[in-house]
Amino acid sequence: MSSTCTHAATIRDVEPGTLGCEECLKMGSWWVHLRLCRACGHVGCCDDSPHRHATGHFRSTGHPIIEGYDPPEGWGWCYVDGTVVDLPNQTPQNGPIPRFL
C-alpha cells in the first residue's frame, strides 16, 4: 500500500448529485455509508453496502478520490494509490440524508 497519493490534483469542490446513493435510490435498495466522488459529485454507497456503488463508479470512470460523505467523516481515499488522502475541505451536505441502516 502506498503512503502518498499521487492524484491530489484531481480533487475538486463538487456539488453532491443526490441525497443518498444515486443507484440505490433508483433501485429502491439500502446502504450503510455514503462516499462522494471528489471529481464529479457522484454519491455512491460504501463497500460495506450490498452494491458497492462508490467503488463501481471508480471502476467505470477512473475518478480516483472519494470523501467519506455520510456520516461526514472528514477523510478522503485514493482508490489508485490505496491510501488515505488529506482533503483541502469537507463537502457540505445539501440536506438531510435518508437513513437506511
Side-chain angles (χ1 to χ4, degrees):
M1 177 158 70
S2 173
S3 61
T4 305
C5 173
T6 59
H7 301 88
T10 68
I11 297 172
R12 305 277 180 263
D13 289 336
V14 295
E15 182 77 19
T18 55
L19 291 177
C21 174
E22 181 176 336
E23 293 84 358
C24 286
L25 287 169
K26 288 177 184 173
M27 62 194 304
S29 188
W30 55 273
W31 59 81
V32 178
H33 297 291
L34 298 174
R35 306 297 181 232
L36 176 68
C37 176
R38 286 301 298 261
C40 72
H42 173 270
V43 180
C45 55
C46 71
D47 284 355
D48 289 332
S49 302
H51 302 289
R52 303 175 179 178
H53 288 121
T55 298
H57 176 75
F58 160 68
R59 289 184 180 140
S60 67
T61 64
H63 296 165
I65 298 177
I66 56 167
E67 176 180 345
Y69 184 60
D70 184 63
E73 298 177 38
W75 56 262
W77 176 259
C78 178
Y79 283 107
V80 177
D81 293 319
T83 191
V84 174
V85 176
D86 290 326
L87 297 172
N89 56 20
Q90 190 169 355
T91 306
Q93 294 178 335
N94 287 339
I97 305 291
R99 297 281 180 219
F100 285 96
L101 186 65

